[in-house]
């Protein structure tokens, strides 16, 4: 019996066909968690990444429909609605009728929303720099090109 136990110990287990630590989704989630932690620590105000995405996209593009904003920020209908509802409750966004199509509402930044977007842009850029800090300039460029290719 002792011999069979020793024989079993010397046999190296085969590598399983699926190793979680080698999967792109798992690695991307870990990177997202790290980025999200940096974002929460450094954004400088009580905004979620999705709220910041909506604010910064509105600052970039100007007023647009909620549906269009959702597409531009890669949020589904329910998510963008909740984000805009919360931003509006904070006085950062507002809605108005589209002068070209009275059935559609346009979302825009309020003055406070525009000022906050401008104030936080340097923080957001610093967050990106810190997220990418372990990489050199060429690696950052390559990573961004590859991630854009995977979109």
């Amino acid at each position: 019996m002792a011999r069979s136990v020793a024989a079993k110990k010397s046999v190296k287990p085969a590598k399983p066909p699926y190793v979680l630590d080698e999967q792109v989704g798992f690695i991307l989630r870990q990177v997202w968690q790290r980025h999200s932690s940096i974002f929460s620590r450094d954004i400088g105000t009580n905004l979620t990444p999705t709220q910041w995405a909506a604010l910064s996209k509105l600052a970039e593009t100007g007023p647009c429909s909620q549906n269009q904003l959702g597409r531009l920020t890669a949020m589904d209908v329910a998510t963008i609605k909740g984000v805009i509802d919360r931003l509006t409750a904070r006085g950062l966004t507002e809605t108005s009728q589209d002068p070209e199509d009275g059935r559609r509402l346009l979302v825009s930044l309020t003055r406070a929303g525009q000022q906050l977007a401008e104030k936080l842009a340097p923080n957001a850029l610093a967050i990106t720099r810190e997220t990418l800090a372990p990489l050199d300039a060429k690696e950052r460029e390559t990573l961004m090109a590859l991630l854009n290719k995977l979109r």
Side-chain angles (χ1 to χ4, degrees), residues 38 48 60 65 71 103 118:
I38 295 166
T48 66
E60 179 185 334
S65 73
R71 286 193 300 274
R103 299 167 296 170
E118 290 170 7

Side-chain angles (χ1 to χ4, degrees), residues 65-93:
S65 73
Q66 189 169 284
N67 196 336
Q68 176 68 10
L69 184 59
R71 286 193 300 274
L72 292 171
T73 57
M75 290 183 229
D76 62 45
V77 173
T79 302
I80 192 64
K81 180 182 181 338
V83 166
I84 294 305
D85 287 349
R86 285 185 287 284
L87 291 173
T88 299
R90 291 178 62 180
L92 300 173
T93 58

Side-chain angles (χ1 to χ4, degrees), residues 130-146:
E130 184 172 343
T131 298
L132 297 174
L135 307 176
D136 64 34
K138 181 67 177 160
E139 289 170 328
R140 288 190 296 272
E141 182 181 316
T142 300
L143 175 66
M144 293 306 293
L146 292 172

